């Protein structure tokens, strides 16, 4: 069992996103989002990211120092800011 206080410490979170707008129709948003997560990856914050085959869903596994950092990462995602994607699930581990 994981204690609630454990998420104040460094941990990983798998984020699942779903399209609410058309990401394909928002090329600039997609480019901004790819750059955003590439920067996070170069800083050691993104472990892996990808899409589910033949679905409007994708995922990102992030490494965060605490849940405040996680919230900042999600809120600064260009596709979240532009209402193209929504976060449908966050699974800490």
């Amino acid at each position: 069992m994981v204690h609630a206080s454990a998420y104040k410490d460094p941990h990983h979170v798998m984020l699942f996103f779903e399209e609410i707008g058309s990401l394909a129709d928002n090329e600039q948003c997609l480019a901004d989002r790819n750059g955003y997560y590439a920067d996070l990856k170069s800083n050691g914050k993104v472990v892996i990211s990808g899409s589910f085959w033949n679905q409007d869903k994708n995922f990102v596994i992030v490494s965060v120092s605490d849940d405040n950092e996680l919230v900042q990462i999600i809120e600064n995602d260009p596709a979240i800011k532009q209402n193209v994607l929504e976060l449908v699930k966050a699974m800490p581990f």
Side-chain angles (χ1 to χ4, degrees), residues 21-80:
S22 176
L23 200 53
D25 293 337
N26 291 290
E27 289 181 31
Q28 186 59 52
C29 178
L30 180 58
D32 293 346
R33 187 170 198 263
N34 287 339
Y36 175 69
Y37 283 107
D39 288 344
L40 288 173
K41 187 171 187 171
S42 69
N43 290 324
K45 294 297 174 184
V46 171
V47 177
I48 192 170
S49 61
S51 295
F52 295 103
W53 182 72
N54 215 13
Q55 295 184 24
D56 296 338
K57 298 180 177 131
N58 63 60
F59 68 92
V60 178
I61 297 177
V62 294
S63 176
V64 294
S65 58
D66 57 34
D67 280 348
N68 291 327
E69 183 179 27
L70 174 63
V71 169
Q72 290 175 350
I73 288 172
I74 295 166
E75 288 179 348
N76 289 312
D77 181 322
I80 295 291

